[in-house]
Amino acid sequence: MEKDGKSNLEEVVSIDSEKDTTPKIGENVDTKEDITPKIGMEFDSEDEAYLYYNIYVGYVGFSIRRDWLNISKTDKTTITSRKFCCFKAGYKKEVAYDGKKSRMELRCGCEAQMVISRQKNAAQAAEAELANRSGIRQKLVFEFMSKQAGGRENLGFTLKDISNHLQSKRMREMKEGEAFTLIHYFEMRKSENASFFYEIQLDVDDQITNIFWVDPKMVVDYDLFGDVVCFDTTYRTNKNHRPLAPLIRVNHHRQTVVFGAALLYDETIETFSWLFRTLLKAMCGKKPVTIFTDQDPAMAKAIAEVLPESHHRLCRWHIYQNALKKLNRYFQSSNSFAVEFKSCMCDHEYEDDFFQAWESMLDKHGLQENSWLKFIFEVREKWAMVYGRNHFCANMTTTQLSESFNSRLRHYLKSTNNVMEFFSHFERLLEDLRHNELDSNYDMSQRLPVLRVEVLLLKNSRDVYTPKIFNFFQEEYKKSLDMVVNTCYDISPLFEYKVCMYGCTREHMVIFNSTDQTVVCSCNKFEFARFLCSYALKVLDIQNIKLLPSRYILKRWTKQARVGCVLDSYGCIVKEDPKLDITNLYKDLCRNAVNIASKAAEIEEASVFLAKKMVELNLDVERILKKKKQIYLPMKLGWILVIMNM
């Protein structure tokens, strides 16, 4: 290599031949060939390369020094290449004799040398891409990586380099085209885990229209918690306003879980029908018990066609908001109208009572001919509680969970995102949601909810239910303490009770069967939420039942909700993350390495010792991997050997 680029900052390090400071090779080094430098070798830093070459020449039998270096034109503190040479390289410069005794000349023109050049750091580039996918600004990424490397001078690239790299990556993806990039992404995910499922619908011109996908975690979550699904298409993903259609609901901690997602071309009956059929295909044909949507008529027809057994519910909150718009003057002019309308929506255990209340409201306010109320009455079975009490809805009546999810999406996604950026940020949201469950599981393992009443039934149910569900259940039990039993009819083996809250006239019918110890309440709380109501709990106490019967404990609300295995659409057990074991091993190794490095950094002697051992360990690991016929890819790539002369 020519020395035209030699810098004035050239540093020469001489090693005294009389003092053996050359690092010794460990016992694991068998031959000279094991540590012979080869073109293309990679090092984390200039110092590591120097140490490596020093170990080698110590084995061979000579010493080295640092020779010329080149400096980056854009960053004057960054070294771009460096030469290490034999300490006898070159010749002493001739000077006029001054009569003084000269030192013995050691330089004899030895040509042994090793030249390293700073290359694009693959690991650092990957870190920058990962940070970009995580929504971190480029400047913050650069500052973090600078501190991680011990200063900007050790990075070998500038903030502008990061920006250029990310821009080039986006351009390459755009050049490949969205369709190619999308399919490549899905196939990559499927190769990582066979339980990953995706399906793409094409139009008559073989152009991609609709896309649906579920990862293995979604398959498991749907199997466990997919009895109630919330479906919403109000979020628009990009400047083309393509609807994002996530399917979500709650887990055993009543936290948001995502069962699947789709990018849709339009919102027609055909599109929704395709989507629901694909969902069933991905989920082994399992249909939701209840599905919540907005008032989209195309969606309603598709559900009736593909999911006729599922109970279709309209969001009660949306119904009320539409009523505020359509009937605003009635809300404004009468204090009672809002109360009456809400009562029709939420109250009434019997259909006749609902009809009577509805007609009374129309007559009182002169709304018999109101077109919107006529339309909403036509679909009353989808929003009035009198029709929803007999169906499991996880104790929910609205799609506000979707509203909250869409609000969170806006913090992760931008309208300018390309297809890969969309998936990257969407996965980031999924990771955050799933981490919430991990936090709740940990809290659940460390502490128990506070008992407000020290009774056996509550102690028993606290051990079974998750804290969130137990708090709901405990509130029902507290209310049962204020319940009054007005009448009791004994028609053995049935006992019929009329129960009401103290001071209230509204009664609920509770029937207890002494044969099998079953209890049924006219409020249908258990059917709707799958935990017993205060009225039923009152009757159980009267019947001296002090432990909650197992038939009234739904597994999806318990601490053991995730116990068991789930099969995917191919009949195989779903492994949510096959790489989890490798990840855990990697984390353990990193933690141990950081711990050792932090100790060694306190003393220079320990630091030098550890650096030598790391070089030797690197060689040992390479040998093991070669024996296993695996390709070794260093975690960090920085300096690469480009010229070597023995």
Side-chain angles (χ1 to χ4, degrees):
M1 176 179 290
E2 296 296 324
K3 300 183 182 181
D4 296 341
K6 184 174 180 180
S7 166
N8 293 329
L9 298 178
E10 173 181 328
E11 177 187 1
V12 178
V13 179
S14 299
I15 300 179
D16 191 336
S17 61
E18 294 181 0
K19 297 179 181 179
D20 188 8
T21 60
T22 304
K24 302 300 182 183
I25 304 301
E27 296 178 357
N28 291 330
V29 177
D30 299 322
T31 65
K32 181 179 73 174
E33 284 70 25
D34 289 332
I35 58 168
T36 299
K38 299 176 180 61
I39 293 176
M41 291 186 70
E42 294 156 345
F43 307 96
D44 288 346
S45 65
E46 177 199 351
D47 289 338
E48 184 181 301
Y50 178 76
L51 178 61
Y52 186 92
Y53 193 36
N54 214 4
I55 293 175
Y56 167 73
V57 301
Y59 196 99
V60 175
F62 65 94
S63 298
I64 60 172
R65 59 184 167 86
R66 287 180 168 90
D67 197 1
W68 55 260
L69 54 76
N70 285 321
I71 303 295
S72 170
K73 294 180 180 180
T74 58
D75 184 355
K76 301 301 182 182
T77 63
T78 300
I79 300 173
T80 59
S81 58
R82 162 72 83 177
K83 175 183 176 182
F84 307 121
C85 66
C86 175
F87 79 110
K88 293 184 178 182
Y91 298 93
K92 184 179 180 180
K93 184 178 181 181
E94 294 185 5
V95 296
Y97 179 68
D98 58 4
K100 296 180 180 180
K101 186 179 179 180
S102 61
R103 295 176 62 186
M104 182 176 63
E105 176 57 49
L106 295 177
R107 298 193 181 190
C108 61
C110 178
E111 296 183 354
Q113 62 178 284
M114 187 173 87
V115 178
I116 57 174
S117 175
R118 189 181 292 275
Q119 304 293 314
K120 180 181 288 188
N121 189 314
Q124 289 174 329
E127 287 181 16
E129 293 171 12
L130 179 61
N132 181 61
R133 290 196 298 270
S134 300
I136 303 174
R137 289 188 296 142
Q138 294 175 10
K139 185 177 180 181
L140 295 178
V141 175
F142 181 71
E143 291 176 356
F144 173 76
M145 295 174 75
S146 297
K147 291 180 180 179
Q148 196 177 40
R152 296 186 180 188
E153 65 276 6
N154 296 324
L155 276 180
F157 57 85
T158 65
L159 177 59
K160 182 65 175 175
D161 293 330
I162 292 181
S163 178
N164 290 339
H165 173 75
L166 295 176
Q167 179 65 23
S168 298
K169 184 175 182 294
R170 281 192 291 268
M171 293 299 291
R172 288 195 303 272
E173 291 173 351
M174 290 173 62
K175 186 176 181 180
E176 291 172 345
E178 281 197 352
F180 175 85
T181 303
L182 183 68
I183 294 174
H184 175 74
Y185 167 78
F186 283 149
E187 286 298 320
M188 178 191 69
R189 293 292 307 274
K190 195 168 183 63
S191 68
E192 294 172 350
N193 193 322
S195 294
F196 184 89
F197 177 95
Y198 76 94
E199 191 146 304
I200 296 174
Q201 187 181 38
L202 305 177
D203 61 15
V204 292
D205 298 319
D206 288 335
Q207 298 295 311
I208 293 177
T209 54
N210 302 310
I211 306 158
F212 177 79
W213 73 97
V214 293
D215 65 23
K217 184 71 166 62
M218 294 175 181
V219 175
V220 173
D221 286 344
Y222 183 85
D223 185 82
L224 300 177
F225 310 116
D227 38 23
V228 180
V229 173
C230 185
F231 183 62
D232 179 80
T233 60
T234 57
Y235 188 86
R236 296 298 184 265
T237 58
N238 53 30
K239 59 186 178 182
N240 296 322
H241 300 291
R242 291 196 71 170
L244 170 65
L247 295 109
I248 63 175
R249 215 44 178 170
V250 293
N251 61 9
H252 52 322
H253 298 291
R254 287 183 65 83
Q255 297 166 325
T256 302
V257 288
V258 180
F259 302 135
L263 288 172
L264 305 178
Y265 179 77
D266 55 29
E267 296 175 87
T268 62
I269 299 174
E270 293 75 16
T271 291
F272 289 133
S273 295
W274 172 85
L275 174 58
F276 295 136
R277 288 193 182 96
T278 307
L279 172 68
L280 296 179
K281 181 179 178 181
M283 304 302 186
C284 304
K286 180 178 179 178
K287 299 178 180 180
V289 175
T290 303
I291 182 167
F292 281 88
T293 72
D294 58 21
Q295 290 178 253
D296 189 302
M299 201 181 294
K301 290 182 180 179
I303 291 173
E305 176 186 333
V306 183
L307 304 171
E309 297 90 352
S310 299
H311 183 55
H312 182 198
R313 298 292 294 169
L314 297 178
C315 172
R316 204 165 70 188
W317 183 82
H318 277 117
I319 297 290
Y320 190 76
Q321 293 302 309
N322 286 335
L324 288 174
K325 295 176 183 177
K326 303 289 185 180
L327 307 168
N328 183 59
R329 70 187 184 96
Y330 297 96
F331 280 94
Q332 296 293 331
S333 61
S334 173
N335 293 328
S336 64
F337 182 75
V339 175
E340 293 163 2
F341 188 79
K342 280 186 177 180
S343 178
C344 289
M345 294 180 66
C346 309
D347 299 334
H348 309 300
E349 295 175 8
Y350 304 104
E351 189 177 40
D352 289 344
D353 294 339
F354 168 76
F355 283 151
Q356 184 178 349
W358 184 263
E359 290 298 324
S360 175
M361 179 188 70
L362 296 182
D363 291 339
K364 181 178 179 179
H365 301 281
L367 290 168
Q368 291 286 2
E369 301 303 319
N370 184 275
S371 59
W372 184 80
L373 286 173
K374 284 183 177 180
F375 163 73
I376 208 67
F377 186 75
E378 291 285 326
V379 292
R380 61 189 178 278
E381 294 183 0
K382 295 182 178 181
W383 56 264
M385 270 299 290
V386 65
Y387 301 103
R389 294 183 186 278
N390 292 320
H391 302 277
F392 178 54
C393 294
N395 204 35
M396 305 182 81
T397 60
T398 73
T399 60
Q400 282 188 289
L401 200 65
S402 290
E403 300 291 332
S404 176
F405 182 77
N406 290 343
S407 178
R408 294 192 66 169
L409 273 174
R410 295 183 183 95
H411 294 288
Y412 291 80
L413 302 177
K414 299 178 182 178
S415 60
T416 56
N417 289 151
N418 61 33
V419 64
M420 283 311 300
E421 289 172 331
F422 164 79
F423 279 105
S424 174
H425 293 305
F426 187 75
E427 286 181 6
R428 194 159 56 90
L429 171 58
L430 291 179
E431 289 175 3
D432 289 347
L433 291 174
R434 290 164 181 175
H435 187 75
N436 291 338
E437 182 177 329
L438 294 178
D439 287 341
S440 295
N441 286 339
Y442 176 78
D443 289 341
M444 182 171 65
S445 69
Q446 298 300 307
R447 59 178 67 90
L448 291 172
V450 177
L451 284 176
R452 297 184 180 180
V453 184
E454 289 282 343
V455 294
L456 185 59
L457 186 139
L458 286 182
K459 290 179 180 179
N460 169 253
S461 58
R462 182 177 64 172
D463 293 336
V464 175
Y465 285 132
T466 61
K468 189 75 173 181
I469 300 304
F470 173 74
N471 287 334
F472 280 115
F473 180 77
Q474 185 167 228
E475 284 298 316
E476 291 295 326
Y477 185 85
K478 274 187 61 183
K479 287 191 290 184
S480 74
L481 300 178
D482 294 326
M483 293 293 171
V484 176
V485 177
N486 293 327
T487 55
C488 175
Y489 300 98
D490 183 357
I491 312 173
S492 187
L494 300 180
F495 294 83
E496 187 177 289
Y497 298 88
K498 288 187 177 181
V499 186
C500 69
M501 179 67 72
Y502 178 79
C504 296
T505 57
R506 182 179 179 183
E507 295 179 328
H508 291 272
M509 183 71 69
V510 182
I511 299 175
F512 178 80
N513 189 325
S514 60
T515 303
D516 55 10
Q517 294 191 330
T518 56
V519 62
V520 178
C521 180
S522 62
C523 76
N524 296 119
K525 180 78 173 184
F526 180 76
E527 289 73 17
F528 182 76
R530 287 296 191 269
F531 52 82
L532 286 177
C533 64
S534 53
Y535 308 100
L537 290 172
K538 181 68 176 181
V539 169
L540 289 182
D541 187 59
I542 292 174
Q543 291 289 334
N544 293 321
I545 296 176
K546 302 303 181 183
L547 292 177
L548 189 63
S550 59
R551 64 166 57 88
Y552 297 116
I553 300 175
L554 187 66
K555 184 183 177 183
R556 69 113 58 220
W557 291 138
T558 70
K559 298 176 181 180
Q560 303 299 314
R562 289 195 177 276
V563 174
C565 61
V566 175
L567 301 182
D568 61 20
S569 58
Y570 309 105
C572 301
I573 296 176
V574 178
K575 295 181 179 180
E576 295 182 31
D577 188 359
K579 294 182 178 180
L580 191 59
D581 293 338
I582 296 176
T583 301
N584 289 336
L585 286 173
Y586 172 72
K587 288 179 179 178
D588 289 340
L589 290 172
C590 285
R591 184 167 52 251
N592 291 333
V594 170
N595 184 37
I596 296 171
S598 62
K599 293 178 181 178
E602 296 178 1
I603 303 175
E604 184 177 358
E605 181 182 354
S607 299
V608 173
F609 173 79
L610 180 60
K612 294 175 184 177
K613 289 298 181 183
M614 291 296 289
V615 173
E616 295 168 10
L617 287 172
N618 189 17
L619 294 171
D620 294 339
V621 171
E622 280 192 349
R623 274 197 297 273
I624 293 172
L625 293 175
K626 285 178 181 178
K627 288 180 182 178
K628 295 294 184 180
K629 297 182 181 181
Q630 294 180 357
I631 299 174
Y632 171 59
L633 178 63
M635 290 304 296
K636 291 186 177 179
L637 311 178
W639 292 86
I640 186 166
L641 176 58
V642 293
I643 296 178
M644 183 185 67
N645 185 359
M646 301 303 175

